[in-house]
């Protein structure tokens, strides 16, 4: 675990430093820098361990199955659709614009997110390209998933706390709680995807789609901005808040059982 510890040391020290120094000054662009850190840390750790450029390409060489690609694309879209539909059905959200034109814009965003998955790759190269395979080799799939979920929460927690203190002061504890749970349960989906294919391009696509489409449809929960296709309380309707936690948790239960079966096989 020597090199994994180096990876975590780099990731946590840099992400915490940037969160405290830049996000505390409301520099939202710092989130991009934070997202780049896992990939940077993984590259450094790999090169220290092997001093070979080839090892850096390993996460890209695994076979991509049709099933794994479909899951990477449609899982985040289905969760977001369920959140949006629920918001409209129970009348806690309304359409902000004409559905036809909005659908075209969302479709364009989906295509752009798939093509330019490099944004998600900045994080996923470190998490599912580097750390998760090593955790699985050391422990088992179920334990590795639990450890990964905890690490992801700790990695994002400073940014979550600082942003919510700025933008969600009245209910910042509730926002932090829901966003933290969302990180935990969506991690099951990423681990499930890893069992379908270990190619790091897939979680990168899923990550990019989730970030972009969730905000475009359901607003920005971190800044409490109801500026998406569906207008409503982000605390309720957003994919990283109440509705999202509910639907993400349903799949997480299924994924947890599946991981148990794989681990015990």
């Amino acid at each position: 675990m020597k090199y994994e510890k180096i990876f975590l040391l780099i990731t946590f020290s840099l992400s915490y430093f940037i969160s405290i120094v830049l996000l505390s000054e409301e520099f939202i662009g710092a989130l991009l820098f934070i997202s780049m850190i896992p990939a940077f840390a993984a590259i450094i750790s790999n090169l220290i361990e092997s001093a070979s450029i080839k090892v850096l390409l390993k996460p890209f060489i695994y076979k991509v199955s049709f099933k794994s690609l479909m899951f990477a694309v449609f899982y985040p879209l289905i969760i977001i659709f369920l959140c949006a539909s629920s918001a409209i059905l129970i009348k806690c959200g309304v359409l902000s614009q004409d559905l036809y034109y909005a659908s075209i814009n969302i479709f364009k965003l989906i295509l752009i997110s798939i093509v330019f998955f490099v944004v998600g790759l900045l994080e996923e190269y470190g998490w599912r390209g580097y750390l998760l395979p090593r955790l699985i080799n050391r422990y088992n799939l179920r334990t590795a998933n639990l450890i990964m979920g905890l690490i992801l929460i700790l990695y994002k927690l400073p940014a979550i706390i600082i942003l919510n203190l700025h933008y969600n002061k009245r209910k910042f504890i509730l926002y932090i709680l829901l966003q933290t749970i969302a990180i935990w349960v969506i991690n099951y989906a990423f681990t499930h995807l890893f069992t379908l294919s270990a190619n790091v391009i897939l979680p990168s696509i899923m990550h990019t789609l989730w970030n972009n489409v969730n905000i475009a449809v359901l607003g920005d929960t971190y800044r409490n901005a109801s500026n998406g296709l569906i207008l409503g309380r982000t605390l309720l309707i957003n994919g990283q808040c109440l509705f999202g936690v509910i639907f993400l948790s349903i799949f997480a239960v299924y994924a947890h059982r599946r991981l148990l079966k794989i681990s015990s096989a």
Side-chain angles (χ1 to χ4, degrees):
M1 289 291 289
K2 174 183 176 181
Y3 301 103
E4 292 84 346
K5 289 179 180 178
I6 293 174
F7 166 81
L8 291 174
L9 177 62
I10 295 172
T11 300
F12 280 112
S13 58
L14 289 180
S15 62
Y16 278 39
F17 175 79
I18 292 174
S19 295
I20 294 170
V21 173
L22 297 181
L23 281 182
S24 60
E25 298 297 324
E26 299 187 47
F27 177 56
I28 299 300
L31 291 174
L32 178 60
F33 294 119
I34 293 172
S35 70
M36 296 169 63
I37 293 170
F40 170 76
I43 292 171
I44 296 299
S45 301
N46 266 323
L47 291 178
I48 292 175
E49 181 178 6
S50 65
S52 171
I53 300 297
K54 289 183 179 180
V55 72
L56 300 180
L57 301 177
K58 186 178 179 181
F60 299 96
I61 65 175
Y62 297 102
K63 181 181 178 181
V64 175
S65 65
F66 178 76
K67 183 178 180 180
S68 62
L69 179 59
M70 290 299 99
F71 183 83
V73 172
F74 286 103
Y75 172 80
L77 299 182
I78 290 172
I79 296 295
I80 293 166
F81 173 78
L82 290 172
C83 292
S85 301
S86 299
I88 293 174
L89 286 173
I90 66 175
K91 298 182 179 180
C92 62
V94 294
L95 286 169
S96 63
Q97 53 186 293
D98 181 81
L99 183 59
Y100 173 75
Y101 292 107
S103 299
I104 293 176
N105 291 332
I106 296 297
F107 182 71
K108 290 178 181 177
L109 180 61
I110 291 171
L111 292 180
I112 292 171
S113 298
I114 293 173
V115 174
F116 297 100
F117 62 86
V118 67
V119 177
L121 183 62
L122 296 174
E123 277 196 52
E124 294 305 327
Y125 184 85
W127 298 131
R128 278 87 193 186
Y130 177 82
L131 186 59
L132 181 59
R134 289 166 177 259
L135 290 175
I136 292 173
N137 288 336
R138 184 174 180 84
Y139 305 102
N140 57 45
L141 190 58
R142 173 181 170 273
T143 304
N145 175 70
L146 297 176
I147 294 173
M148 178 64 74
L150 179 60
I151 289 173
L152 287 171
I153 289 173
L154 293 175
Y155 159 70
K156 296 185 178 183
L157 194 57
I160 289 175
I161 292 173
I162 292 170
L163 287 173
N164 280 297
L165 284 173
H166 276 297
Y167 296 102
N168 301 311
K169 291 181 180 179
R170 291 184 178 180
K171 298 181 179 180
F172 76 94
I173 293 178
L174 189 54
Y175 271 97
I176 291 171
L177 178 62
L178 287 172
Q179 290 161 5
T180 301
I181 296 173
I183 293 170
W184 177 263
V185 289
I186 200 172
N187 176 60
Y188 277 91
F190 280 97
T191 304
H192 172 79
L193 177 60
F194 185 87
T195 66
L196 302 178
S197 172
N199 194 305
V200 74
I201 292 176
L202 295 173
S204 302
I205 291 174
M206 191 160 84
H207 192 130
T208 306
L209 278 170
W210 175 254
N211 284 350
N212 291 346
V213 181
N214 182 50
I215 292 175
V217 175
L218 302 169
D220 188 345
T221 177
Y222 292 118
R223 286 181 280 184
N224 194 17
S226 182
N227 53 2
L229 171 61
I230 307 297
L231 298 179
R233 293 177 61 193
T234 55
L235 183 64
L236 294 178
I237 70 174
N238 193 271
Q240 290 175 285
C241 281
L242 182 60
F243 285 6
V245 165
I246 292 171
F247 293 118
L248 291 170
S249 297
I250 292 172
F251 181 82
V253 171
Y254 161 77
H256 180 74
R257 292 177 178 176
R258 183 172 179 271
L259 295 180
L260 282 176
K261 290 181 180 179
I262 295 175
S263 299
S264 60

